[in-house]
Amino acid sequence: MCAYGMISVMTSLPAASADSLCSCSTRASADPRFVTWCPACEGNLGPAPDAQRGRSARRQDARRAADRAAVERLYAEISGEATSRPWRDGAWFTAMTIAGAVHLTTAVLATGSVWLLVNGTFLIRFLGVVGFATAVLLRPRLGRFRRDEWSLNRTEAPHLYGIANRVAAELGVRPVDLIRVAPEFNASYGKTGLRRRSVLTIGLALWEVLTPQERVALLGHEFGHARNGDSRRGLWLHSASEALASWYEFTRPSRTFTTESDPFTMIGNATATLLLIVPHKLTGLILLLLHRYTLRTGQRAEYLADDLAARVASSAATRSMLEALVLDKSVEHLFQRQTVIRRQTRSSRINSRRGDDFDLWQELREYITSIPETERLRRLRVSALHMASVDTTHPPTHLRIRLADERPPQEAAITLRETEIAAVETELTAVRARAAHAVLTSNY
Ligand SMILES: [Zn+2]
Ligand SMILES: [Zn+2]
């Protein structure tokens, strides 16, 4: 049976559905709002990954194919184990060594430059200044623990913090230091600053389309990052790759090259471009190597975070939470449509349902609930076809769903009470309104 033969029905089929006959003689269900496709032969499923021409495109294709094979090999390995566990291999050791070399370069550059500044002649001191400035640019980036407009403190959202603390306690990790609730369709967990304080960011666009138990699964996955042994998020590797990323951006030749009529400026720009191109290419290459060498440990850590989510919220809730991730384009589509309607309403000054009482999140939930199962299935198959994942650090979503299916089913360790769910809804009222305003006034 195909991997998606057991997709759970999260919504009822809409009345608007109409059946048509595919060329393979299967009845293909169609909703006029979505693409008509055939689940049996995958006719009209959606665009296949681009086949590119040219030597560099072929090289890129070959690289992608190698990545895909590595990701699938890793999946086969992990699905054969009873549970995921943190992993250290030769590639991990190489990545840690590269990060060490980056930190060492910065340290040597900084101390060498200070020595030149103290002991050198005027010209040598100038070199010291340049060296020291470079070391400052390359310095380890620890991030800054900062509250912003999306931050909620414990008195503003005691129940949300309470649920987060329960999930953290269940996984044996420290309670979160700060929760942010932002408009996006995602969630994240990270540690920042010298004190490595933890910040959990909940994207409302994702949170709103999840059921309460799926939200617990989402928190389970995010807190899973605090104990899944993902070295990419550790101080050593993360600060090295952040430093390299800023160095990569700083040395991007197009930053300095402008078309000027003045020949001296042009010569100056061309020289700067030539001087920048080598460090730019070199940092790009080191970043690529770091990505390659941490791919396996990183993806293992993500599968482990999903296993931990299942332990906290149940396998079923984790699976359906993961399924919701492929609806990102639907959310984007609704935001775009509502932004345009809102703009038109403002310009024609019509005071209608699109006025101040308009609830974007309610509209989003209704729209997502109305998406028929065939369209959800199509999104899942397209996601698998493209090996799509929520970002470059996560394994393809369809493989995460498949692993959740293959693991022995787990019951929820944490379930939410109705009163708790309602209390969190109330706590989020103000931030929901702010986030809706941000979505509707942005350039979607
Ligand atoms: Zn067909
Ligand atoms: Zn993750």
Side-chain angles (χ1 to χ4, degrees), residues 161-171 413-417 420:
Y161 271 91
I163 294 169
N165 288 350
R166 277 168 67 193
V167 174
E170 177 62 33
L171 294 177
I414 294 177
T415 48
L416 302 182
R417 292 182 297 275
E420 247 177 329

Side-chain angles (χ1 to χ4, degrees), residues 22 24 38 41:
C22 172
C24 77
C38 171
C41 68

Side-chain angles (χ1 to χ4, degrees), residues 179-201:
I179 299 183
R180 295 173 70 248
V181 177
E184 303 88 21
F185 186 82
N186 65 17
S188 63
Y189 176 93
K191 291 188 175 169
T192 57
L194 252 185
R195 290 166 58 192
R196 310 309 289 154
R197 283 189 284 180
S198 54
V199 180
L200 169 73
T201 300

